[in-house]
Amino acid sequence: MKWSQIYTSDMSYVSDSSSLNKALRQQYLSLPQGTFCQVTYVWIDGSGEGLRNKTRTMDSEPKSIADLPEWNFDGSSTGQSEGHNSDMLLIPVCMFRDPFLLDPNKLVLCEVLKHTQEPAESNHRNRCNKVMEMVKDLHPWFGMEQEYTLLGVDGHPYGWPRLGFPKPQGPYYCSVGADRAFGRDIVECHYKACLYAGIKISGTNAEVMPSQWEFQVGPCEGIEMGDHLWMSRFLLHRVCEDFGVVATLDPKPMTGDWNGTGCHINVSTVQMREQGGIEYIEKAIEKLSKRHAEHIRAYDPHGGEDNKRRLTGRHETASIHDFSAGVANRGASIRIPRQVGQDKCGYFEDRRPAANCDPYAVTCVMAITCMLEEGEDAHELE
């Protein structure tokens, strides 16, 4: 019987590959590579949620995006093209240090284009970048709070009893202890990997449901938000792969009296950050109230269907059908932090985006609603 098939009532399945000899692996990884550089291209697949990657050798370390060649891949194997015309283009857009292969090796986030040079259907970055260019004078800052849940490879929450359930929610949020915090090794390794890579990760904590965690990325300006969050997700999945577990971004991984999983977004412009900025925050919230349905459609990859399971009005969420806002209210669609209410400037938090949202789609619709002047039309960018 394989090791990964052995379990007790308090043990989760882990993958076969996690039991491979890591010391032997390190022996090979530590071999010198001369002047050559391994560059791993990362992209979003046709699901709008999955990430794919492949690696190439370059003769020397690239110093900027300009040093990286375009590449291609078989889009028929990623849900992005038909087999009879399958080549899709990879356009490097953002480069990071590689925390797995170490310097001088690189990770490169790419946009996906069709052979016609048009953006693939799952490429929301292209339009987002154009919108961010339109609002760049407002210096939009975003921070996103990425929640996720750790699972065994059998889909059962990591650390949960095989039979029955753990104790009800209450002792797990920001918890410590072997009976309350499951998978901290993964969380801390991911954090260090993000810092090494150059991702603007700003914190992490255990969340309300056991085996549920969160990390925060930002503040990032403009298009940088989506770039850094997507690469931080890639690092999360890679770290979990090494440990033999799965990180799911499903917005409601467990039915019943358990919290869902979101990706709250914090938003501010230079006007909101200045003295008296609460006026601009309130104007933005008023605009958001008029486009609730449009935002819900943009806040998960399935037009709001995923969020229906999460935004129920329970478990620190507002109902998907209603828009609401309030100071320090975690049950509202939009929360104004207590300190912001006191200082009369700062930022606001939109609590509606699902954990599996595309940050490009979320920041794009946020900029269109809150930051474009009346009369400016972003639909021409389609």
Side-chain angles (χ1 to χ4, degrees), residues 44 48 121-129 131-132 142 144 222-223 225-227 229-230 233 263 265 288 291 294-303 350 353-354 356-369 382:
I44 303 161
E121 282 74 12
S122 58
N123 178 0
H124 296 291
R125 186 187 191 277
N126 193 275
R127 181 169 186 253
C128 180
N129 199 29
V131 171
M132 293 305 166
F142 303 102
M144 297 188 77
I223 197 66
M225 182 68 253
D227 292 345
L229 188 60
W230 270 116
R233 287 175 174 177
C263 192
I265 181 170
L288 288 167
R291 301 182 70 175
E294 181 177 346
H295 278 251
I296 288 295
R297 288 193 295 272
Y299 283 0
D300 73 52
H302 300 104
D350 190 331
N356 62 344
C357 70
D358 186 325
Y360 296 129
V362 173
T363 54
C364 183
V365 73
M366 184 65 70
I368 291 171
T369 296
E382 297 284 359

Side-chain angles (χ1 to χ4, degrees), residues 25-26 28-33 36-41 53-57 96-107 193 196 234-235 238 242:
R25 173 179 179 267
Q26 189 56 41
Y28 288 99
L29 288 182
S30 61
L31 292 173
Q33 59 187 64
F36 294 110
C37 181
Q38 289 174 269
V39 181
T40 298
Y41 285 49
N53 69 103
K54 63 177 185 173
T55 304
R56 68 187 300 164
T57 303
F96 300 87
R97 296 168 72 196
D98 189 331
F100 308 107
L101 301 178
L102 306 184
D103 291 335
N105 304 302
K106 306 296 182 186
L107 298 175
Y196 182 93
F234 175 79
L235 295 189
R238 265 295 278 107
D242 283 344

Side-chain angles (χ1 to χ4, degrees), residues 131-187:
V131 171
M132 293 305 166
E133 186 65 23
M134 295 174 71
V135 300
K136 66 180 180 180
D137 291 343
L138 294 179
H139 297 284
W141 288 3
F142 303 102
M144 297 188 77
E145 305 169 26
Q146 179 68 70
E147 295 177 347
Y148 61 95
T149 306
L150 296 176
L151 308 175
V153 291
D154 59 347
H156 192 70
Y158 184 78
W160 283 35
R162 277 288 138 194
L163 302 174
F165 296 90
K167 295 177 182 178
Q169 294 182 160
Y172 306 107
Y173 173 71
C174 295
S175 60
V176 62
D179 60 338
R180 300 183 178 194
F182 309 135
R184 190 184 298 275
D185 285 349
I186 293 166
V187 175

Side-chain angles (χ1 to χ4, degrees), residues 6 21 67 75 106 118 123 160 267 272 283 288 371:
I6 301 173
N21 189 322
D67 297 331
K106 306 296 182 186
E118 297 173 316
N123 178 0
W160 283 35
V267 182
M272 296 177 191
K283 286 180 179 179
L288 288 167
M371 301 174 201

Side-chain angles (χ1 to χ4, degrees), residues 142-144 199-203 216-221 224-225 228:
F142 303 102
M144 297 188 77
I199 289 168
K200 292 186 175 180
I201 186 170
S202 51
Q216 304 90 33
V217 174
C220 296
E221 186 163 333
E224 185 181 58
M225 182 68 253
H228 282 238

Side-chain angles (χ1 to χ4, degrees), residues 267-287 325-328 334-349:
V267 182
S268 79
T269 63
V270 65
Q271 297 166 321
M272 296 177 191
R273 296 189 290 271
E274 292 175 344
Q275 187 174 4
I278 191 70
E279 173 189 350
Y280 294 95
I281 292 173
E282 291 172 346
K283 286 180 179 179
I285 293 173
E286 176 63 23
K287 291 178 179 179
V327 175
I334 307 294
R335 180 180 72 95
I336 298 175
R338 176 83 56 198
Q339 192 64 44
V340 172
Q342 294 173 352
D343 295 343
K344 305 300 182 185
C345 65
Y347 68 97
F348 65 88
E349 176 192 44

